[in-house]
């Protein structure tokens, strides 16, 4: 349920409303807008069903929220959330680009990639140190060594780090090296890990599951927020459909859906979303036009030698050209890049 305070409610009215709710063992979540404050209420459904708040001073109305997700919902928090990743803001007027190789393969490869993507305008360096591969015989990543390389190279080029977490036991060590913890598609419903990430101080990028519905995805984000971590962003990376030409079907309508239903930022991954290098640039442009807050793009200095996802990785020169192109699209939707 949300309690909508009237525009002329006083601070005392608000305090009284919160006190009453908390005295009934309900949790409150305040969202202060320009005009009015909204008090989100979470807790025992039976208690909430019998609540009478309209009589209290300063209360304009109450609205029942039927969806299971609350904290991620735009009803609870009408304004867009902007996540501050150590100075890089995601969800505001500026579109942020994260780029780098699929996997960290070594210092030289990572440095070459970072230098190229930074020069082209990327602010966040991507790269997997733990790779959730479909086959156990494929390259599994460099582990902690990969995390150390990411931090070292990102610092060298004044970038932030986004990297995937595959095991909740790794949270502590990853927090030492990463700025954003990425939950991969295969772990979107790893609820124990989502709960553990709820206790982390690091922003989390939650990729959409291989065939997850929008509602399942929102509920997965709710797990993280319910634990206390408010810095969650979504990442659309394509879903499985009957189409086989592309690796996945990039669902750009999900961008509009998330913007309608949630206040959290949304990132688009056109690399995994298509699996095909020639489609990465057009889908990046389309993602920005659809309202994405950020892009995450795979770039490899030598894609033909990549240990994973070479077919979808841009060459540095392709990435440079793409970045030169995106400004016009951003401008058309009232943003900058
Ligand atoms: C990745 O970003 O490297 C990755 C494995 O992505 P996804 O979880 O979307 O498959
Ligand atoms: Mn990849």
């Amino acid at each position: 349920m949300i309690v909508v305070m009237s525009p002329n409610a006083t601070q005392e009215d608000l305090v009284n409303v919160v006190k009453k709710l908390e005295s009934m063992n309900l949790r409150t979540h305040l969202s202060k807008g320009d005009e009015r404050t909204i008090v989100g209420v979470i807790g025992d459904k039976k208690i909430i069903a019998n609540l009478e708040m309209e009589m209290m001073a300063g209360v304009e109305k109450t609205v029942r929220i039927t969806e299971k997700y609350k904290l991620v919902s735009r009803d609870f928090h009408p304004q867009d959330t902007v996540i501050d990743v150590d100075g890089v803001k995601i969800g505001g007027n500026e579109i942020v680009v994260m780029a780098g190789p699929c996997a960290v393969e070594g210092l030289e490869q990572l440095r070459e990639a970072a230098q190229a993507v930074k020069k082209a305008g990327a602010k966040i360096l991507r790269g997997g140190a733990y790779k959730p591969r479909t086959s156990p015989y494929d390259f599994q990543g460099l582990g902690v060594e990969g995390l150390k390389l990411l931090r070292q190279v990102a610092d060298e080029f004044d970038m932030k780090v986004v990297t995937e977490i595959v095991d909740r036991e790794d949270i502590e060590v990853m927090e030492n090296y990463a700025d954003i913890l990425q939950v991969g598609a295969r772990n979107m419903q790893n609820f124990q890990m989502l709960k553990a990430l709820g206790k982390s101080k690091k922003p989390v990028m939650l990729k959409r599951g291989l065939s997850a519905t929008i509602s399942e995805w929102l509920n997965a984000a709710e797990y993280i927020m319910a634990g206390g971590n408010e810095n969650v962003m979504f990442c659309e990376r394509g879903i499985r459909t009957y189409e086989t030409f592309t690796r996945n079907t990039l669902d750009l309508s999900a961008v509009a859906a998330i913007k309608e239903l949630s206040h959290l930022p949304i990132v688009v991954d056109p690399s995994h979303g298509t699996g095909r290098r020639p489609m990465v640039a057009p889908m990046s442009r389309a993602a920005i036009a659809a309202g994405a807050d950020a892009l995450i793009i795979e770039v490899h200095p030598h894609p033909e030698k990549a240990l994973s996802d070479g077919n979808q990785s841009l060459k540095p020169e392709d990435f440079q050209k793409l970045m030169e192109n995106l400004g016009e699209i951003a401008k058309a939707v009232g943003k900058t890049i």
Side-chain angles (χ1 to χ4, degrees), residues 101-150:
C102 176
V104 178
E105 299 169 7
L107 179 59
E108 276 322 300
Q109 171 247 19
L110 189 61
R111 196 182 253 150
E112 253 189 273
Q115 186 170 29
V117 300
K118 167 75 186 193
K119 187 167 147 257
K123 297 220 164 108
I124 301 180
L125 181 63
R126 68 145 288 147
Y130 300 93
K131 295 305 301 174
R133 305 304 298 279
T134 301
S135 162
Y137 308 117
D138 286 339
F139 177 58
Q140 303 286 309
L142 298 179
V144 178
E145 196 45 44
L147 293 177
K148 289 182 181 163
L149 290 175
L150 276 167

Side-chain angles (χ1 to χ4, degrees), residues 102 126 131-132 164 182 184-186 207 237 269 272 298:
C102 176
R126 68 145 288 147
K131 295 305 301 174
E164 180 168 354
Q182 167 179 334
R186 290 155 194 81
K207 285 193 144 195
R237 48 78 72 203
D269 176 348
H272 294 88
E298 289 188 338

Side-chain angles (χ1 to χ4, degrees), residues 85-102:
V85 183
D86 194 18
V88 175
K89 298 203 166 61
I90 300 179
N93 215 43
E94 192 182 329
I95 290 157
V96 173
V97 178
M98 317 179 188
C102 176

